[in-house]
Structure formats: structure tokens, C-alpha cells
């Protein structure tokens, strides 16, 4: 809990210093773990901008297909995933050609039904036809890394476009097809840019507005932040992990806790 509270305190301080309407650097909101001591133990905290991910409930069919193609998910699994995600979140009981509805999920053991509504959690993808733990969590084999789908999507973003100011290398790779290595180099270079506009950041990726990137990305001050904290005590093999999704008001005047996960 200390880590979450400290994260909120530091973010409120960062927002209060930012000039209203100005594009600020991402500062603390970079997804990197920071370690701090408390008593005889220590805790780690990281902060992630939910606007830097793809909204799972708003992503169009072509966006889902693009992401799974860039993540090297082969057919027919790619189409099964796209159709099944669309079936999971729509309200009807009719399944697409390669999708799934209740008749499929009730045939499984253990059985369950499709939500037929918006995803409440990204983890619900594990219940969707075509998804595997390896695809969801990501893998690394023979030096080849596959980005986990869990790190691409969010249900807490309020916009369709992705904030290029905070998007991770995995999100950028999945949306643009730019290699993971080059996307990571961009993330490092982005740290040196303060107040840059969208075209300036796209140039670092060797992309232009004319290539359709303006339909995928936007520059926004982060305001919906996941603060994740894990506590460790000397000699113990267990840890306590908490996650809070927090919406900050303009100018750091306040915040709302919109999601809480105690692990």
C-alpha cells in the first residue's frame, strides 16, 4: 500500500508542476520498476499510462488483425482470435465464421458462457477461443521474443488512439510493424524529447503522417495511470502485490481510483 500511495503522491506533484495544456515529458510514467527501501524490506513501484495501450473494447476488426499480424500470429489462429474477440464483446448470440459463442464455450470443460458485452478485464482474453497462455503472456525461445498480448491492450483507456508519448515498444511494434529492436530504440530516444509534436516523434520511427499513423496515434498528457507495487521482506519467498488504476484530474487537483487489484 505504501508503494501505491507514494506513486499517487509523486504523480500529483508532477501534474501540479506541468503547465496546463502543455505536452509534458512522461517522467515517472514510463513502465519501469523503481525500487525503494521500507523498514527491513523493500518495495518496487511502476507506473503505466493506460492511454499508451490499445483499447480492447474499441479496437476495430482491421486494427485487431493488424496487431495479430505484426505479432506473427499465423493463420488460421489469427482469424479465429479476431472473430472470437468481436463475438465475445458484441451483444448478439450469432457467431462469425471463425468466432465462437455460447455453444462453443459450453462444450468446454469447465464450461462457461461468452460475455456478450465489453471486456471488464484484459485477462478475459484467456477465455476467448484461440487464445493461449503463451500468446497472452509472451514467450522467449532461441533468443526470439514474442510480445505478450496482455501488454498491448487495456480496458481503461478513454480513447481509440494510442498515446505515442507513453506507448511501450511492444505496442508500437504491434501497431506499426516496426521491429521490436527499433521500437525499443525509439522509446529510449523519446526520453530525450520534451514537448515534441506527433510528427516529430514519428520521424524517430521513420514514419510519416501520410502513412496513416495519425489514425493510430495521438499525443496526450497521461491521465489514467496504473500504479503497480510489490512488497518484499528479507528471508521471505512470498511477496504482496497491489495494482490500482487511477484517473487524475487536470493540473493535479485530485484523482479517482477506478480499479483495484490485490494479488
Amino acid at each position: 500500500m505504501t508503494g501505491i500511495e507514494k506513486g499517487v503522491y509523486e504523480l500529483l506533484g508532477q501534474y501540479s508542476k506541468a503547465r496546463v495544456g502543455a505536452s509534458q515529458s512522461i517522467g515517472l510514467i514510463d513502465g519501469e520498476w523503481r525500487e525503494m527501501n521500507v523498514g527491513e524490506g523493500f518495495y518496487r513501484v511502476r507506473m503505466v499510462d493506460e492511454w499508451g495501450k490499445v483499447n480492447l473494447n474499441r479496437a476495430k476488426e482491421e486494427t485487431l488483425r493488424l496487431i495479430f499480424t505484426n505479432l506473427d500470429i499465423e493463420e488460421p489462429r489469427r482469424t479465429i482470435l479476431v472473430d472470437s474477440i468481436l463475438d465475445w464483446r458484441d451483444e448478439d448470440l450469432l457467431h462469425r465464421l471463425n468466432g465462437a459463442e455460447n455453444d462453443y464455450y459450453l462444450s468446454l470443460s469447465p464450461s462457461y458462457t461468452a460475455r456478450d458485452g465489453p471486456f471488464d478485464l484484459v485477462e478475459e482474453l484467456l477465455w476467448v477461443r484461440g487464445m493461449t497462455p503463451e500468446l497472452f503472456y509472451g514467450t522467449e525461445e532461441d533468443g526470439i521474443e514474442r510480445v505478450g498480448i496482455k501488454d498491448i491492450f487495456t480496458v481503461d483507456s478513454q480513447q481509440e488512439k494510442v498515446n505515442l508519448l507513453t506507448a511501450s515498444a511492444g505496442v508500437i511494434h504491434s501497431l506499426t510493424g516496426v521491429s521490436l529492436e527499433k521500437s525499443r530504440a525509439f522509446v529510449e530516444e523519446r526520453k530525450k524529447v520534451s514537448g515534441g509534436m506527433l510528427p516529430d516523434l514519428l520521424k524517430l520511427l521513420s514514419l510519416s503522417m501520410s502513412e496513416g499513423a495519425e489514425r493510430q496515434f495521438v499525443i496526450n498528457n497521461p491521465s489514467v495511470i496504473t500504479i503497480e507495487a510489490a512488497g518484499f521482506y528479507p528471508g521471505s519467498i512470498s511477496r504482496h502485490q497491489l495494482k490500482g488504476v487511477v484517473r487524475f484530474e487536470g493540473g493535479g487537483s485530485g484523482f479517482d481510483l477506478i480499479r483495484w487489484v490485490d494479488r
Side-chain angles (χ1 to χ4, degrees):
M1 188 64 185
T2 300
I4 300 290
E5 291 177 342
K6 183 170 179 59
V8 170
Y9 175 79
E10 291 182 342
L11 285 173
L12 285 172
Q14 177 171 305
Y15 281 116
S16 65
K17 294 176 183 177
R19 185 162 50 87
V20 176
S23 177
Q24 63 187 58
S25 62
I26 61 175
L28 300 167
I29 314 165
D30 58 4
E32 299 291 334
W33 286 101
R34 291 173 172 81
E35 191 171 298
M36 304 175 193
N37 295 321
V38 55
E40 296 182 2
F42 67 96
Y43 63 91
R44 294 174 181 163
V45 179
R46 68 173 176 176
M47 307 180 204
V48 179
D49 177 21
E50 292 301 310
W51 286 7
K53 302 177 185 178
V54 179
N55 188 308
L56 180 57
N57 288 318
R58 297 186 182 186
K60 296 181 174 63
E61 179 178 349
E62 54 267 31
T63 300
L64 294 172
R65 191 171 299 280
L66 174 67
I67 289 171
F68 296 146
T69 298
N70 288 334
L71 292 179
D72 294 325
I73 298 176
E74 299 180 351
E75 293 288 12
R77 186 178 298 275
R78 180 166 64 226
T79 297
I80 290 174
L81 278 171
V82 172
D83 283 3
S84 298
I85 288 172
L86 295 174
D87 279 337
W88 185 271
R89 72 187 195 192
D90 68 23
E91 296 181 356
D92 62 59
L93 298 177
L94 302 174
H95 69 76
R96 290 164 173 78
L97 180 61
N98 295 284
E101 283 288 356
N102 288 344
D103 54 347
Y104 171 80
Y105 296 114
L106 288 173
S107 71
L108 304 178
S109 181
S111 61
Y112 51 93
T113 58
R115 174 168 293 280
D116 290 325
F119 285 81
D120 279 343
L121 298 169
V122 172
E123 284 76 9
E124 280 182 39
L125 282 170
L126 286 165
W127 298 345
V128 171
R129 181 188 180 194
M131 185 59 65
T132 66
E134 292 76 17
L135 289 176
F136 185 77
Y137 292 106
T139 59
E140 186 171 354
E141 188 175 350
D142 298 328
I144 300 175
E145 181 180 356
R146 183 191 292 271
V147 177
I149 288 174
K150 72 178 181 64
D151 297 319
I152 305 299
F153 292 105
T154 179
V155 296
D156 294 308
S157 174
Q158 297 171 323
Q159 59 185 16
E160 292 186 16
K161 295 182 180 181
V162 170
N163 189 5
L164 190 56
L165 196 64
T166 58
S168 69
V171 171
I172 294 166
H173 165 63
S174 70
L175 282 174
T176 66
V178 172
S179 71
L180 197 55
E181 181 180 8
K182 187 171 181 178
S183 296
R184 284 179 174 147
F186 163 79
V187 169
E188 291 302 311
E189 191 67 21
R190 182 180 63 190
K191 296 176 182 178
K192 306 172 186 177
V193 178
S194 179
M197 303 297 288
L198 183 58
D200 301 324
L201 290 179
L202 289 174
K203 284 181 182 178
L204 297 178
L205 281 167
S206 301
L207 297 174
S208 69
M209 299 289 283
S210 62
E211 294 176 286
E214 77 280 0
R215 296 194 300 270
Q216 297 174 316
F217 297 108
V218 69
I219 294 290
N220 266 337
N221 288 336
S223 66
V224 180
I225 313 298
T226 289
I227 306 174
E228 193 168 4
F232 303 82
Y233 192 79
S236 174
I237 61 173
S238 64
R239 66 176 181 177
H240 191 193
Q241 190 158 335
L242 301 171
K243 182 170 73 171
V245 182
V246 183
R247 180 185 295 114
F248 289 88
E249 299 175 7
S253 58
F255 67 92
D256 292 318
L257 180 66
I258 61 176
R259 190 182 302 279
W260 180 259
V261 180
D262 188 337
R263 297 177 178 173

